[in-house]
Amino acid sequence: MKRLSDIGEFGLIEEISNKFPSDEEIYKGIGDDCAVIENEEDYTLMTTDMLVEGDHFNLDWQTPWEIGWKSIIVNISDIAAMGGLPSWGLVSIAFPSDIEVNFAEDMFDGMKEASERHDMKIIGGDTTHGDLLTINVAVIGRVEKENLCMRGDAEIGDLICVSGDLGKSWAGLELLRAGKEGYTDYYLQPECRLDSARKIAPYVNAMIDVSDGLSSEVRHICEESELGAEIEKKKVPISDRTKKTGKKLNIDPMKWALYGGEDFELVFTIPPEKISNIEDENPIVVGKIIEEGLYLIDGEKKELGEGYDHFRS
Ligand code: ADP
Ligand code: MG
């Protein structure tokens, strides 16, 4: 019998999307960082992300405040990836019965701080029981028509850029898993690139946020755009801190950058002649869009591998 681990997270999403095809009322349904509905003056953006105890967070390492913070940031990051702004949040939680009230309060404090930081208001949700602490956040936002950035709008010759260094979150997770001290702060309290996204959106063709590693995100852009890409390994930005962590754990940090995730940086494609407009945002060019194929240039031209998959990891 076929199991989810056979088809993987993205195989399942493809099956779901065949069941719920788009129609003319939906500007973009399944397949981007947010669903997009067209209004007269702008677009409404909708996204949702779920965090499950033991899978997305671990109560031994993360404080309730940090879990709350992260649950909001991961969603706002998807709004940022469309070039938009978050407006409203709905928070649904399944709590095990023995969770202390203080724990829940701290978690909501983390959610409040992350939401206020990005001018989003929490306006509802749902509370229920579950054996594992499970948090689902849904965010509704908006984007001006000229600023909408979709995964599928890359063009041949576009430069592929990232907004900052990669692998930093997975490095922290591996340290925590190994029970070692080090740079875990980014994993525990990630940021998203909303401000930067707003500034680059007018010039960008395609954009996505890094939740599953650079390789996976570039693959999504290429699949939606029906094009290919070349990534130059030596241009993939990895900080000295992340390299130090790699040495400590004897793991090549490039693995975290390409196939890890949760960095919540932006990956975007931009025509070469427009990149001077976004100099202040320090874009890092890592490759270019080509007609077909997905390659990693590492001295020779290799196939680009796949990123994180929840059913296969
Ligand atoms: P992201 O990493 O940006 O949050 P995902 O990889 O989770 O995006 O999802 C990719 C696309 O698949 C999105 O458009 C999302 O709305 C859609 N999707 C994921 N899971 C489901 C589901 N259970 N039902 C319907 N659509 C889904
Ligand atoms: Mg995303």
Side-chain angles (χ1 to χ4, degrees), residues 73-176:
I73 293 297
V74 301
N75 279 280
I76 295 181
S77 180
D78 279 325
I79 299 275
M82 308 300 292
L85 284 168
S87 312
W88 316 110
L90 296 160
V91 176
S92 303
I93 310 188
F95 284 110
S97 316
D98 58 354
I99 288 268
E100 289 175 14
V101 174
N102 273 349
F103 181 106
E105 281 175 355
D106 288 350
M107 212 173 79
F108 279 102
D109 282 343
M111 290 181 176
K112 189 174 159 75
E113 200 159 327
S115 307
E116 284 176 358
R117 161 105 153 216
H118 296 295
D119 279 332
M120 184 184 86
K121 297 208 166 91
I122 292 177
I123 53 165
D126 190 30
T127 304
T128 187
H129 169 267
D131 290 339
L132 292 175
L133 178 60
T134 304
I135 305 161
N136 179 260
V137 176
V139 169
I140 300 159
R142 56 173 291 273
V143 60
E144 303 82 359
K145 292 213 162 152
E146 63 277 17
N147 285 339
L148 178 68
C149 302
M150 313 251 287
R151 294 177 181 182
D153 288 339
E155 288 186 16
I156 295 176
D158 279 1
L159 300 172
I160 302 173
C161 302
V162 294
S163 59
D165 69 288
L166 301 176
K168 55 194 159 201
S169 186
W170 216 258
L173 173 62
E174 292 289 3
L175 278 172
L176 291 163

Side-chain angles (χ1 to χ4, degrees), residues 33 78 151 209 211:
D33 294 286
D78 279 325
R151 294 177 181 182
D209 66 325
S211 52

Side-chain angles (χ1 to χ4, degrees), residues 9-10 13 16 20 29-35 47-49 78 151 208-209 211-212 217 220:
E9 179 183 347
F10 298 110
I13 291 175
I16 298 170
F20 303 110
I30 295 172
D32 217 304
D33 294 286
C34 295
T47 187
T48 183
D49 254 308
D78 279 325
R151 294 177 181 182
I208 186 168
D209 66 325
S211 52
D212 302 318
E217 313 314 347
H220 288 317

Side-chain angles (χ1 to χ4, degrees), residues 51-71 74 103 106-107 133 135 169 172-173 176-177 184-190 262:
L51 306 185
V52 181
E53 179 185 342
D55 198 330
H56 300 88
F57 61 86
N58 188 314
L59 297 177
D60 296 335
W61 312 324
Q62 276 148 296
T63 65
W65 190 98
E66 287 164 350
I67 296 164
W69 168 278
K70 187 170 178 177
S71 70
V74 301
F103 181 106
D106 288 350
M107 212 173 79
L133 178 60
I135 305 161
S169 186
L173 173 62
L176 291 163
R177 280 180 174 159
T184 54
D185 52 329
Y186 194 85
Y187 175 75
L188 294 172
Q189 195 182 331
E262 298 207 334

Side-chain angles (χ1 to χ4, degrees), residues 1 26-27 36 48 50 66 71 86 131 135 156 164 167 175 179 187 213 233 251 260 283 302-303 305 312:
M1 195 190 293
I26 307 168
Y27 192 81
V36 185
T48 183
M50 183 147 65
E66 287 164 350
S71 70
D131 290 339
I135 305 161
I156 295 176
L175 278 172
Y187 175 75
K233 194 173 167 189
I251 298 174
K302 300 176 178 166
E303 294 282 317
R312 291 173 160 171

